Amino acid sequence: MNISKTSFAIVIASVVLASCNSNKNAKSDHSNNPFFSESKLPYQAPAFDKIKNSDFLPAFNEGMKQQLAEVDSIVNNTEAPTFENTFVPLEKSGQLLARVNNVFGLLTSANTNDELQKIEEEVSPKLAAHHDAIFLNPKLFSRVEAIYNSAEKKELDAESQRLVDVYYENFVLAGAKLNDEAKAEMKKLNEEKASLSTKFTNLLLAATKEAALKVDSAEALNGLSEAEIKATEKDAKDAKVKSKYLIVLQNTTQQPYLAQLTDRKTRQDLFYASYNRAEKADANDTRGTLIRLAEIRAKQAQLLGFKNYAAWNLKNQMAQSPEAVSLFLKQIVPAATAKARTEAKELQTLIDQQKGGFKLEPWDWNFYAEQLRKQKYDLNDSEIKPYFELNKVLQNGVFYAATQLYGITFKERTDLPVYQEDVKVYEVFDKDGSELGLFYADLFKRDNKSGGAWMSNIVNQSTLLGTKPVIYNVCNFTKPAEGQPALISFDDVTTMFHEFGHALHGFFASQKYVTLSGTDVARDFVEFPSQFNEHWAMEPSVFKNYAVHYKTGEAMPAALVAKIKKSAAFNQGYMLTELLAAASLDMQWHSISAGPKINDANKFEHDALQRTGLLMDEVPPRYRSSYFKHIWGGGYAAGYYAYLWTEMLDHDAFSWFEENGGLNRENGQRFRDMILSKGNTEDYNKMFKDFRGHAPDIKPMLRNRGLVN
């Protein structure tokens, strides 16, 4: 998952900007606030050791005030609008706001606390109002529109022309052409939406923490390794609960330990702890919040003349319309669900053979799937995890592959401050040895960290601003007990490659304008580089470099590697169906029209899955509506389909590599030049076609999933 950047450009893309109401309690002396001047650290990296919670609100308020003053100077310029006196100062505006917003976004997602959450709740509606003060400013839009329609535009270089087009479309989609009454309504809805999105995120974090499964006996944890049991014991102590063991929840419906726990009651309890985490009719219940968010988005789309939010949101995406997304998903659903049903029958047969005496349920799936995988391929996670030690995967796998493909190198920096003791920092150097940027790796889960994995920028690349990228990856791997190695699953390995694919997209950015830089691209394109990078996890030359036993240092035996490859298509019906169910839920929540009231989120969810043929008791959605942070608290509203859409792109692109010599520097450079370094400077369909030689083909993806021959 990728998180949007924040500078003026980001403000544009993320709808997270603010009003400039001053804080009467803020001190007028800002000399000790680290955000009020550029950091003196390398690459303008944040001085995390000097940043205090009390620094954020004054910096937000002053940052918004400064940017509005900068915008006022643009609109009050008496000279005729030109690119140089309008777009260039817009790109340079809001630097203080960008500094504080980028760090704040990192900490509130990865290392939050009660004080930060309160600030977030206060500042979110202000940021939305600030965004509107810019994008619904008639004088500013008049200048943007004049340049958009001018002869001057045709004389600009290609990137500058693209910037004009992107700004103009962003203004129009924000409501710049609405009348005053509609603009006023849009502003109110934006503020409420921002507040509710923050509320949803904070409720979900609290609900997930509270729903962690408390276990009293070691027998209930049979099936887990000794190290894993020790980790649950440590989590219980850290959380100060009365129970001896605590299983902390991850963000998805299914939980990793469900594949190992032999006690069916414990599995059922863990599943329902996850499945119902935000539906307890208590203070952390998210359903009322998400219903209102869906209603607000439908109303906003109606104001702008769109039939629903999905139609509005997809206007500037690669797919461009809900109809295109629907057609794409319909190509996959029948084959995916048919395969899932076949898999369910196999699992039920296994249960019956063992005289289980019960019907397959969601909490049984991964447990028996793991047995079936062992039976079919003589493979299980406990056999392969010792070969995947986290630090070796990162340095000898993820970094090594990037070096082989792109020539970049890495050096750990222990002299730079971090925001949490587990975070590591690496300096990244380009193929010629020149400085490329900084990379922060925050890989272990904490109860004050949102679930999942993501990438974002702390500093955004721009030659206009003279900045190089400072990027972070956040994951949620289980931290081992003291003195134990961090052994991860192969799914975790691919997550690390995935998130670093986003990082590469950011590091190779070579744009003049921050609005178009790096990963600031359409949602259904941004996951392309990350999912593409997953392919190198199993590249033989890369795999043998990192897949070594943590005790002996011996490479994984060839027979075991062959089993992993052979089992790649195993359980794909299930995994694809749960993903499709989540994507379908997202699209249907955002295809409602304004007006009709939704009273029951669970009924809506049930009916939505039934309509699309994705209602399977044994295969719940990867995310239920009530804990679907991607769409209610993140940037993936009407965009979760992007993971499957970009999977089509990544497999088709990888086919080109297979046809042209695989992993080598020449091919890596071509991919960097034609995809990774482009940002949002070209039409995405053209960009892909120029690289691949044809429009995206879904067949390589379906073959990889084992759905076609």
Side-chain angles (χ1 to χ4, degrees), residues 412-425:
E412 186 171 1
R413 295 287 301 260
T414 57
D415 58 323
L416 295 175
V418 293
Y419 56 91
Q420 203 277 341
E421 61 183 5
D422 293 329
V423 178
K424 292 188 176 183
V425 187

Side-chain angles (χ1 to χ4, degrees), residues 300-320:
Q300 289 181 309
Q302 183 188 58
L303 282 173
L304 289 163
F306 292 90
K307 62 182 180 181
N308 53 50
Y309 181 86
W312 174 27
N313 194 59
L314 290 167
K315 189 73 174 173
N316 58 3
Q317 301 295 299
M318 193 174 179
Q320 298 183 336

Side-chain angles (χ1 to χ4, degrees), residues 96-155:
L96 169 55
L97 185 57
R99 283 195 294 273
V100 62
N101 208 10
N102 286 346
V103 173
F104 190 70
L106 164 58
L107 296 183
T108 52
S109 294
N111 204 46
T112 194
N113 55 54
D114 291 343
E115 190 174 353
L116 288 179
Q117 288 182 332
K118 289 177 182 176
I119 296 170
E120 188 177 19
E121 290 171 1
E122 179 177 346
V123 84
S124 291
K126 291 182 179 181
L127 288 171
H130 180 76
H131 176 272
D132 288 340
I134 295 170
F135 282 89
L136 298 181
N137 183 321
K139 290 183 179 179
L140 182 57
F141 178 61
S142 177
R143 296 181 73 89
V144 169
E145 188 173 36
I147 299 164
Y148 177 78
N149 292 320
S150 72
E152 180 199 6
K153 178 187 168 187
K154 298 177 183 178
E155 304 301 319

Side-chain angles (χ1 to χ4, degrees), residues 477-494:
F477 305 136
T478 300
K479 186 176 181 179
E482 190 70 30
Q484 297 295 315
L487 304 180
I488 60 178
S489 69
F490 188 64
D491 282 346
D492 294 336
V493 171
T494 57

